[in-house]
Amino acid sequence: MASASVICLAVLVSAATCELLTADQLAKAVPGHLELDPEFRKLHPSIPGPYEHVDPFIVGGVESTPHSRQYQVGIYTPVTTAGISFCGGTLINARTVVTAAHCVDLRVGNLSIFMGAHNMPPGGDLNIVARFAGDVVIHEGWNRSILLHDIALVRFEVAVPLSASIIPILLPRDASNDYLGNTTLVSGWGRASDSINTISPVLREVISWVISNYACRMAYLGIVQDSHICISGAHGRGTCNGDSGGPLVVNGVLIGVVSFGSAFGCEVGWPSAMARITSYLDWIRQNQAPA
């Protein structure tokens, strides 16, 4: 698909002018979550399935201080002619966002991407910059049947204007660092109730820590590989519906992209699995747009 990129300030201006989604489409977006995909359930029946009495959002965390996670991105993806899926993403330079491959591999049109937002769907906040983008690079090894290489890049033709509310995150310098035991922060607009099929109206975040891939592999019966990184789900902490594609951060450095977890929800103590950024540093450098 040919690339497309448009800047819109004070987001909800004319859709005809900026080609962004309508307010109604934004409000009806379905939180993207790999474990709730029927095809995923067929491919991976051993991963715990949905449990209807769990509250699946970033649990055990708090609302983020508005505009404190300046790298956080919200992505609306048209996945059918009548449906919109929502995922997170991370700004890594002024022209590139990293997200999960499963957030964009089924798209049927261009993405609507919001930066500098605290509320979602975004309102008339002047901190927000929106882009309508179609230049997407999905890792060539991504395959839902093996849950490997769940990473993608979205590239803009024109650099995003940076501000106090929009700042790219740093990538790791040491590709050998496994971050085992490090305290992590993960953020997103995951949905706030299993009975409401909408995302959280505000950005939320939770603190956890990196666990060993061995422990994570035991939880997911061998699915987890070296290119994954996992955080503990202890004390009901973790990621869930709508958080896919979002950032896992250690000391201001992006170390993971939210990929999958237990569809039982975040409160059951299952680990959350991510694409390990240090496994993809060369791929990112080769495919990102020049800043």
Side-chain angles (χ1 to χ4, degrees):
M1 180 178 293
S3 63
S5 183
V6 179
I7 298 177
C8 296
L9 300 175
V11 173
L12 294 180
V13 295
S14 166
T17 301
C18 293
E19 299 185 84
L20 293 171
L21 299 172
T22 66
D24 185 59
Q25 288 174 310
L26 293 174
K28 292 180 179 178
V30 176
H33 197 46
L34 199 53
E35 300 78 66
L36 301 184
D37 183 338
E39 189 62 28
F40 178 95
R41 306 300 319 142
K42 295 176 184 177
L43 291 169
H44 304 285
S46 61
I47 290 183
Y51 180 65
E52 61 186 25
H53 299 302
V54 172
D55 201 23
F57 62 107
I58 284 189
V59 183
V62 297
E63 179 179 348
S64 302
T65 300
H67 311 299
S68 62
R69 309 303 169 198
Q70 298 97 330
Y71 47 79
Q72 180 79 46
V73 173
I75 301 174
Y76 290 84
T77 304
V79 291
T80 68
T81 55
I84 304 295
S85 176
F86 179 85
C87 277
T90 310
L91 190 69
I92 59 171
N93 71 32
R95 293 183 56 207
T96 310
V97 165
V98 62
T99 188
H102 78 261
C103 288
V104 295
D105 63 346
L106 300 180
R107 70 189 181 95
V108 295
N110 288 341
L111 311 175
S112 293
I113 301 176
F114 298 92
M115 291 149 283
H118 179 66
N119 298 98
M120 201 62 65
D125 189 339
L126 294 178
N127 294 290
I128 298 171
V129 172
R131 287 294 175 87
F132 187 67
D135 186 1
V136 177
V137 181
I138 297 172
H139 193 282
E140 57 275 10
W142 164 239
N143 189 317
R144 286 173 180 252
S145 67
I146 56 176
L147 296 180
L148 279 177
H149 312 307
D150 191 7
I151 188 169
L153 300 176
V154 183
R155 304 183 295 199
F156 306 137
E157 292 180 358
V158 179
V160 173
L162 304 183
S163 67
S165 300
I166 303 174
I167 301 174
I169 199 168
L170 298 173
L171 295 180
R173 292 185 177 181
D174 180 5
S176 66
N177 192 340
D178 64 8
Y179 297 98
L180 182 62
N182 277 217
T183 299
T184 62
L185 184 135
V186 63
S187 52
W189 286 280
R191 73 196 235 195
S193 171
D194 199 36
S195 63
I196 301 174
N197 199 26
T198 58
I199 59 177
S200 170
V202 296
L203 185 67
R204 294 178 59 85
E205 62 188 47
V206 69
I207 293 174
S208 187
W209 61 91
V210 176
I211 63 173
S212 71
N213 275 30
Y214 174 78
C216 197
R217 192 173 293 119
M218 293 293 289
Y220 291 113
L221 303 179
I223 291 174
V224 172
Q225 302 299 320
D226 290 346
S227 57
H228 290 109
I229 188 169
C230 299
I231 60 172
S232 172
H235 311 299
R237 299 172 179 172
T239 63
C240 255
N241 306 50
D243 295 319
S244 290
L248 177 69
V249 176
V250 168
N251 295 326
V253 175
L254 181 69
I255 67 165
V257 176
V258 177
S259 180
F260 68 92
S262 167
F264 276 121
C266 301
E267 294 179 321
V268 297
W270 231 263
S272 298
M274 330 280 182
R276 184 183 291 269
I277 287 293
T278 53
S279 296
Y280 300 100
L281 289 174
D282 289 342
W283 181 84
I284 290 172
R285 293 188 186 105
Q286 292 166 9
N287 292 281
Q288 68 184 352

